[in-house]
Amino acid sequence: MTDADERRSAIRDLWSSGSYAAVGDMWSAIGTALADELDVAGRRVLDAACGTGNTTLALARAGADVVGVDLTPALLDVARRRAEEAGLAVEWREGDLLDLPADDEAFHVVTSTFGAFLADDPVACAAELARVCGSGGTIALTAWARGGPFETYRQVVGELAGDLGGGPRPDIEAWAEADGLRERFADTPAQLVDLDHRTILLPFPSAAAAVEFYERNSGPLIQTMAAVRASGKDWGPIRDEVARRWEATAERIADGIALRAPYGRALLSRA
């Protein structure tokens, strides 16, 4: 097995763990809002790292001729079933963010909601998004911004568990920042034209219940728990500290709490 094969296998294993469908459904409204913002009716659209298809299906409902691409077959199976149940025509392709299965300039619009920002080579990913977008087209992206619950979780793990041997991690929040986006797309024909910072509320009965939800369903958190335990450390104090910090910053709602998750929505124009 080559290094590239091992990398792809590791990514598939990561996103096959838990239930990304349950996790991603919590912010499916963001994909719907993005589809409503874009002029996609009758246009060719690629949804990169489409996961279980929430944004892809929203684009199809908006009248796009849409292709959904993801590297993980288990996620594509869910997306395909959802499309069939909704009676929506979508083409699904298995493919890598760093080597998208599409011709140059094949699409009028390229989207990625909470997908591209996780690419292990951000510059190569940006180049691929720009490559498949046609001249005059739009690249639309969403990414979690700094100060949100997922950054807090990673900070707690770093503080209490130290280096777990995963190697350097791309600065994922930079995908929600103008300077970070310009750096990633610097050598492409795509230019940032609009960046809007927004917040979504993620409701849970309590902060402890939120941690338990992600322990069951989030592939990255499941793998982090395993790495912590493999290192000989106790996951319990990390769980408790994440819950404590989430509780301290959460918004109170009628049935519990809501985690405030800031994100950026970026639009780039392809020359």
Side-chain angles (χ1 to χ4, degrees):
M1 182 180 290
T2 66
D3 290 345
D5 290 336
E6 290 182 359
R7 171 187 160 274
R8 294 188 182 103
S9 178
I11 292 171
R12 292 185 181 106
D13 288 346
L14 173 66
W15 296 108
S16 297
S17 302
S19 172
Y20 183 76
V23 173
D25 284 356
M26 293 204 71
W27 49 77
S28 62
I30 292 175
T32 300
L34 185 66
D36 289 342
E37 281 187 75
L38 301 171
D39 179 15
V40 298
R43 306 179 81 191
R44 288 277 289 165
V45 181
L46 175 72
D47 188 28
C50 66
T52 50
N54 286 322
T55 301
T56 327
L57 299 185
L59 292 162
R61 290 189 187 97
D65 177 9
V66 62
V67 174
V69 173
D70 203 275
L71 188 58
T72 304
L75 302 189
L76 288 174
D77 287 344
V78 175
R80 189 176 292 108
R81 184 178 70 250
R82 288 179 168 183
E84 291 172 355
E85 290 172 351
L88 295 170
V90 176
E91 180 182 349
W92 305 101
R93 300 179 187 174
E94 185 178 324
D96 191 340
L97 277 169
L98 307 187
D99 185 18
L100 290 169
D103 293 335
D104 294 354
E105 301 189 43
F107 297 91
H108 301 105
V109 178
V110 177
T111 63
S112 188
T113 50
F114 306 108
F117 83 131
L118 293 170
D120 46 338
D121 187 336
V123 172
C125 176
E128 277 296 280
L129 296 174
R131 178 184 67 80
V132 300
C133 186
S135 178
T138 298
I139 299 170
L141 309 170
T142 65
W144 299 120
R146 298 188 198 279
F150 308 118
E151 183 185 37
T152 297
Y153 142 72
R154 296 199 312 273
Q155 289 171 342
V156 172
V157 171
E159 292 169 11
L160 299 186
D163 182 7
L164 297 173
R169 182 185 181 90
D171 185 5
I172 60 177
E173 285 82 13
W175 284 88
E177 298 168 354
D179 287 347
L181 286 160
R182 292 188 183 106
E183 179 181 349
R184 282 150 176 71
F185 285 90
D187 294 328
T188 78
Q191 291 191 334
L192 180 66
V193 295
D194 185 66
L195 176 61
D196 192 19
H197 288 101
R198 306 170 180 180
T199 299
I200 187 171
L201 298 179
L202 306 175
F204 293 95
S206 66
V211 176
E212 291 171 3
F213 172 83
Y214 288 111
E215 285 176 334
R216 291 193 308 273
N217 296 303
S218 168
L221 200 150
I222 289 168
Q223 289 203 357
T224 298
M225 285 193 298
V228 167
R229 289 166 174 154
S231 73
K233 297 181 175 67
D234 185 0
W235 175 254
I238 296 173
R239 173 196 296 120
D240 294 344
E241 181 61 14
V242 171
R244 186 190 71 78
R245 295 193 195 182
W246 282 1
E247 181 75 28
T249 58
E251 184 170 315
R252 269 51 189 176
I253 58 176
D255 297 327
I257 60 100
L259 303 179
R260 295 182 58 83
Y263 70 97
R265 190 277 289 133
L267 300 179
L268 298 99
S269 179
R270 207 277 199 188

